[in-house]
Amino acid sequence: MVLATLFFSSKAGSIIEVLRQLLVCFLYGFGIVYLFIGLTKKMFKYNPTRIHIIKWAVSLAALVAASQFMQGVYQTYLEVLKGQAPQ
């Protein structure tokens, strides 16, 4: 997904923005997963391995990145409908 996103980024500046967004989403995913584990570990009495934590964080980061991308596409679509297409 990352390679496809970078491949379809046509401008050099947009590649930097895509990488920055992916980094933010990745860090957000890890933060939310660690917060979730910290809040539920004692309650449900489980002990996730490092591999499970990484899988959960990457999955959440992918979900956040995809939803951010879809929101950007929707915003651009609305701008095009209003006649305010980006240059």
Side-chain angles (χ1 to χ4, degrees):
M1 184 174 117
V2 173
L3 292 176
T5 303
L6 292 176
F7 178 74
F8 288 110
S9 298
S10 59
K11 299 177 186 175
S14 66
I15 291 175
I16 304 265
E17 291 300 318
V18 167
L19 288 175
R20 185 179 300 150
Q21 178 124 9
L22 288 172
L23 176 66
V24 167
C25 290
F26 187 73
L27 293 175
Y28 178 77
F30 265 107
I32 293 296
V33 165
Y34 274 110
L35 180 67
F36 181 75
I37 289 170
L39 292 173
T40 61
K41 190 173 182 178
K42 276 189 172 181
M43 187 178 0
F44 295 119
K45 294 181 172 59
Y46 67 94
N47 193 12
T49 64
R50 202 171 274 212
I51 300 296
H52 286 118
I53 293 172
I54 290 171
K55 284 181 183 179
W56 292 345
V58 168
S59 299
L60 188 59
L63 177 68
V64 170
S67 65
Q68 288 286 335
F69 175 73
M70 292 304 293
Q71 189 223 359
V73 169
Y74 180 70
Q75 287 297 110
T76 304
Y77 175 71
L78 287 178
E79 289 174 359
V80 168
L81 285 179
K82 292 180 183 176
Q84 302 169 350
Q87 296 297 331

